[in-house]
Amino acid sequence: MEPSKKYLFEYKGYYFGVETTPEYVASLEDFEIYDSDIFITTYPKSGTVWTQNILSLIIHEGHRNGTENMETMDRVPWLEYNLKQRDYTKLPLPRVLATHLPYYLVPRDLKNKRGRVIYVTRNPKDVMVSYYHFSKFMKTLEEIPDFNLFMERFLAGKVLGSSWFDHVAGWYSHAEDFNILFLTYEEMKKDLRSAVLKICNFVGKKLSEEEVDSVVRQATFENMRKDPRANYENLPDEWVSKDKGRFLRKGTVGDWKNTMTVAQSERFDEVFKEKIKTLPIKFVWDTDEM
Ligand code: A3P
């Protein structure tokens, strides 16, 4: 089943939501990169909002101590979905931008090791299940109520973000072209403090022990859920069905087991078995492996 054109368009082999245009995406090749830029790069549902909040807390003191009330989306806007028609040259430095772009569509200068990329991955069964629930919540995504059908779409890469495998494999196999830090959702979940310190180190930000504690405290699932700046609660009604979910849904490792049957899990393994072997990451599929 092909994805509906009402929701997606394809540009150079990659599916985008219709909130952007092929012309704008094409223009990003020339997007000027500053050395201080930080790009949070993910396949959808891998921990983007979480990492956006962590970076906001690390970089902006007013965000960390609660004196500034600015939404995550304004702190860390989307590169390819410039929904508010912002002039990105006017963002405070260092600019932090979020993107789901595959490695081959990013601004040219990023590939020349200008700026920094933080690439976050998550085990793909949890990604898929999170995505399934998210598609019910987001009106801008096509809802596929039948999980089996959704899984086939996901495995075929016919969703916003295209193939999970191609995205992750593409970024990992081109790592040497970028100034890049790889993180996994599961390592952030297991030891958030270490992940925060890794990020601080990578972006060259020195925080005191207390400041790191404050970042970690405010970036837990429970606290982010309560923080209207961080939980995307204020999205307009034309985008989200607030009665059908929320951005911060469960925030756990291994939730796929609550949705996928054994047969579905085996089908998934069959598709990804050979491919996953070539990735230089050991995926953590459940909490008992952490
Ligand atoms: P679930 O749907 O499994 O709960 P993205 O931001 O890339 O869209 O990813 C969304 C996923 O990240 C959701 O997963 C969401 O709950 C989870 N998430 C967001 N903030 C988190 C946090 N502080 N801790 C753990 N998971 C978080």
Side-chain angles (χ1 to χ4, degrees):
M1 189 168 68
E2 289 302 307
S4 160
K5 290 202 167 58
K6 184 175 157 207
Y7 297 96
L8 297 183
F9 69 86
E10 195 178 344
Y11 176 77
K12 296 199 174 171
Y14 185 79
Y15 282 116
F16 290 88
V18 294
E19 295 72 38
T20 188
T21 62
E23 295 71 30
Y24 180 66
V25 174
S27 77
L28 294 175
E29 170 120 38
D30 299 322
F31 184 91
E32 192 188 346
I33 299 292
Y34 308 152
D35 289 329
S36 59
D37 285 347
I38 302 162
F39 285 79
I40 298 170
T41 311
T42 55
Y43 184 84
K45 311 321 293 168
S46 303
T48 328
V49 173
W50 192 5
T51 316
Q52 281 174 294
N53 189 41
I54 293 173
L55 261 300
S56 303
L57 291 163
I58 289 175
I59 287 175
H60 300 283
E61 195 182 345
H63 195 85
R64 191 164 60 243
N65 61 26
T67 53
E68 284 170 6
N69 183 17
M70 200 196 269
E71 306 254 330
T72 305
M73 207 160 19
D74 294 323
R75 285 266 183 234
V76 185
W78 283 88
L79 175 64
E80 67 274 29
Y81 299 100
N82 187 355
L83 303 168
K84 295 191 179 169
Q85 311 277 310
R86 248 182 263 265
D87 178 353
Y88 287 155
T89 63
K90 301 220 159 62
L91 290 173
L93 302 181
R95 300 186 298 185
V96 189
L97 291 149
T99 179
H100 291 319
L101 286 176
Y103 78 93
Y104 60 91
L105 291 179
V106 298
R108 188 184 306 112
D109 279 350
L110 259 192
K111 293 184 217 157
N112 295 326
K113 292 205 162 98
R114 294 197 65 184
R116 294 175 171 81
V117 176
I118 298 176
Y119 189 82
V120 184
T121 47
R122 183 182 191 185
N123 90 60
K125 288 182 184 170
D126 279 336
V127 166
M128 181 175 71
V129 167
S130 177
Y131 210 153
Y132 170 67
H133 292 290
F134 192 63
S135 312
K136 300 183 191 181
F137 169 62
M138 284 303 282
K139 292 180 184 167
T140 55
L141 294 173
E142 183 177 357
E143 182 182 347
I144 303 172
D146 180 318
F147 180 74
N148 237 346
L149 280 183
F150 181 84
M151 182 166 97
E152 291 308 321
R153 274 280 189 90
F154 181 90
L155 291 175
K158 301 205 168 192
V159 289
L160 194 160
S162 293
S163 151
W164 172 88
F165 179 79
D166 290 348
H167 202 278
V168 176
W171 276 100
Y172 269 90
S173 60
H174 291 82
E176 67 283 0
D177 299 340
F178 298 93
N179 184 6
I180 191 164
L181 171 71
F182 288 103
L183 287 173
T184 67
Y185 179 97
E186 293 79 14
E187 72 171 294
M188 286 162 65
K189 197 72 204 169
K190 183 176 174 195
D191 185 351
L192 184 52
R193 197 166 208 282
S194 296
V196 167
L197 289 172
K198 266 191 197 171
I199 295 174
C200 287
N201 193 30
F202 182 63
V203 303
K205 181 88 182 174
K206 278 220 170 316
L207 296 181
S208 67
E209 289 280 307
E210 293 72 34
E211 286 167 335
V212 172
D213 290 344
S214 168
V215 173
V216 172
R217 191 171 54 248
Q218 294 182 69
T220 61
F221 183 79
E222 292 69 27
N223 288 335
M224 271 181 67
R225 240 189 169 198
K226 287 187 271 191
D227 180 353
R229 298 171 310 170
N231 64 15
Y232 274 60
E233 211 164 81
N234 299 322
L235 288 181
D237 286 342
E238 62 262 33
W239 290 1
V240 293
S241 304
K242 291 196 174 129
D243 54 328
K244 290 199 190 161
R246 50 208 293 193
F247 250 87
L248 274 85
R249 192 185 58 94
K250 276 201 173 170
T252 56
V253 175
D255 183 50
W256 60 270
K257 291 192 173 160
N258 297 315
T259 300
M260 294 174 80
T261 62
V262 171
Q264 285 165 339
S265 175
E266 284 173 2
R267 157 91 182 119
F268 189 103
D269 291 341
E270 205 179 288
V271 174
F272 277 132
K273 199 168 54 200
E274 289 307 312
K275 292 178 169 179
I276 270 182
K277 274 193 207 150
T278 65
L279 292 177
I281 335 165
K282 191 189 165 304
F283 285 98
V284 170
W285 302 95
D286 206 351
T287 42
D288 59 11
E289 298 163 32
M290 290 167 77

